[in-house]
Amino acid sequence: MKKEANNVLAQNKKASHDYFIKETIEAGIALTGTEIKSVRARRIQLRDGYVQIYNGNAYFENVHISEYKQGNIYNHDPLRRRQLLLHKKEIRKLAEVQAQQGMAIIPLKVYLKKGFAKILLGIGQGKKQYDKRETIKKRDQERELRRKYRM
């Protein structure tokens, strides 16, 4: 049996701090040749990224994929809009979520699956400042308990 390697190329750690993640969806990304090479080299940032629905298509926006160092004049624009590969039913569901107040579609992680770049999208509801403080407080309490019982 083949051993599964850690194929996570990028992760959005800030997403769990800023949003309550309700549901996740896996999607493919339409990338150019130099983009996929940069992604495989882990030169991608998801921090400010989000998903928009235009004309029945889902697009991945404001995600920085650095230019490929060995690229030529056909190198890609680092912040260009990239299409997500989803079924129509999934796109309609995301459009309904996008129309709701306080909901967002955010990228959680980018990984390789059978040689193809995939993205895990999270449907999230924005946290208020007091929710963020509460999350930090819980995490600190759990850390203290682990330290206490470890000794």
Side-chain angles (χ1 to χ4, degrees):
M1 193 173 260
K2 194 174 178 183
K3 208 178 210 184
E4 193 68 31
N6 185 6
N7 292 331
V8 176
L9 303 173
Q11 228 175 350
N12 189 356
K13 294 179 182 177
K14 192 171 178 173
S16 63
H17 178 72
D18 292 339
Y19 298 95
F20 293 113
I21 306 299
K22 305 284 186 191
E23 189 179 342
T24 59
I25 296 175
E26 182 182 68
I29 315 169
L31 299 172
T32 63
T34 56
E35 283 177 330
I36 189 63
K37 289 181 178 190
S38 290
V39 168
R40 286 185 176 157
R42 301 177 193 274
R43 303 197 30 92
I44 180 171
Q45 283 187 338
L46 300 174
R47 185 174 303 164
D48 298 325
Y50 59 94
V51 175
Q52 285 288 347
I53 310 293
Y54 296 114
N55 300 329
N57 289 319
Y59 292 98
F60 194 35
E61 293 193 13
N62 208 19
V63 172
H64 190 275
I65 298 178
S66 299
E67 288 186 350
Y68 185 58
K69 290 180 183 175
Q70 288 78 32
N72 52 17
I73 60 170
Y74 300 109
N75 226 341
H76 64 276
D77 177 32
L79 287 173
R80 81 175 184 91
R81 181 187 298 168
R82 294 163 183 90
Q83 185 174 4
L84 293 176
L85 307 174
L86 292 163
H87 294 284
K88 292 280 184 191
K89 193 163 130 180
E90 293 172 325
I91 293 173
R92 271 183 267 151
K93 181 179 178 182
L94 291 177
E96 290 173 9
V97 168
Q98 184 181 356
Q100 292 178 10
Q101 185 70 25
M103 298 296 279
I105 308 162
I106 48 174
L108 299 177
K109 64 172 96 171
V110 174
Y111 54 92
L112 291 177
K113 185 175 182 181
K114 296 182 182 177
F116 294 101
K118 301 284 184 179
I119 183 164
L120 187 67
L121 301 173
I123 297 173
Q125 183 177 8
K127 285 185 181 179
K128 304 280 189 226
Q129 188 65 34
Y130 57 85
D131 291 328
K132 293 177 187 179
R133 286 191 204 117
E134 190 176 309
T135 304
I136 292 170
K137 188 176 175 183
K138 273 186 195 173
R139 187 178 59 220
D140 289 344
Q141 287 173 347
E142 289 172 5
R143 188 179 301 137
E144 284 297 319
L145 283 174
R146 280 194 305 251
R147 281 186 192 154
K148 190 175 182 180
Y149 289 116
R150 192 178 349 163
M151 293 179 170

